[in-house]
Amino acid sequence: SETSRTWTVMKWDSKTHLYRVFFADDKNGWAVGDNEKIIHTTDGGMTWNVQKEDNNGSGGLLNAIYFPNKIHGWVVGTAGQILYTDNGGNNWNQQGSNIKEGLLDIFFINNAEGWAVGGYGKILYTNNGGSVWIPQNSGSNHLWSVYFTDAKNGWAVGEKGEIFQTSDGGSRWKPQDSNINWALFSVHFVDKMNGWTVGAKGIILHT
């Protein structure tokens, strides 16, 4: 099929910044942003409904969202906030991260196992859907993004060109050499050999 070339405005709320979008399939999607706002669509983005927000305007930022399927999902944000749903976002519940640093990205490989990363090099791991989050040690100062191809193999990227890799589910994170000194903001792999990371100054790295 031909690659899409046209972009259409489907929602515009000038009072809210949205920072991340995630679709579990071609119909069910979510976006998160300022004031703990979570919006949801079931028709591919034609209409969006608010699932959660702080109406007082004093809520923190929600930075990232991930759904391994259209039922179970997690959101992370400022001050170590982690929110969880087991019904597609009709209800969102707090999970205890036991940290105060902001979390910037989250990734799950199934309904049970997931990782969250953020400020001061924090990495959190759960094997029970977030009932308990366990700290892991990367040695980083600040992490922006995390991605796993399976339960063992994952990567996290951060400040000053930091790339960390694990082959044991995060028990040990080993630094990899990026040969740059700029922040890396996002990482994505299509299998455990082929991946990309992007960051400051327009840098794109591939392995």
Side-chain angles (χ1 to χ4, degrees), residues 113-183:
E113 288 189 272
W115 294 261
V117 300
Y120 295 92
K122 296 292 185 182
I123 300 180
L124 301 178
Y125 165 71
T126 182
N127 60 8
N128 55 16
S131 295
V132 177
W133 287 91
I134 302 166
Q136 294 182 336
N137 183 28
S138 67
S140 168
N141 292 318
H142 194 92
L143 293 171
W144 284 95
S145 181
V146 61
Y147 195 94
F148 274 72
T149 55
D150 54 52
K152 299 296 184 183
N153 295 282
W155 293 260
V157 298
E159 292 296 315
K160 297 182 178 180
E162 292 178 331
I163 302 176
F164 296 90
Q165 190 270 338
T166 181
S167 56
D168 58 12
S171 294
R172 292 171 296 175
W173 289 88
K174 300 177 181 179
Q176 295 185 326
D177 193 356
S178 69
N179 295 312
I180 66 168
N181 195 41
W182 311 314

Side-chain angles (χ1 to χ4, degrees), residues 53-101:
E53 68 177 329
D54 184 334
N55 293 318
N56 295 322
S58 59
L61 307 183
L62 297 180
N63 296 315
I65 184 169
Y66 195 89
F67 276 74
N69 52 58
K70 65 181 181 180
I71 301 299
H72 299 86
W74 289 261
V75 174
V76 294
T78 53
Q81 186 174 39
I82 302 177
L83 301 175
Y84 165 66
T85 181
D86 60 2
N87 57 15
N90 291 323
N91 302 101
W92 289 92
N93 299 303
Q94 294 276 357
Q95 291 185 331
S97 68
N98 294 317
I99 66 170
K100 296 181 180 180
E101 295 81 7

Side-chain angles (χ1 to χ4, degrees), residues 1-29:
S1 63
E2 186 177 353
T3 302
S4 297
R5 297 178 180 177
T6 303
W7 292 84
T8 303
V9 175
M10 306 189 83
K11 182 177 176 61
W12 188 9
D13 177 1
S14 62
K15 296 180 181 179
T16 301
H17 294 306
L18 297 172
Y19 299 113
R20 196 71 63 90
V21 63
F22 188 92
F23 272 73
D25 54 39
D26 62 343
K27 298 295 184 183
N28 292 277

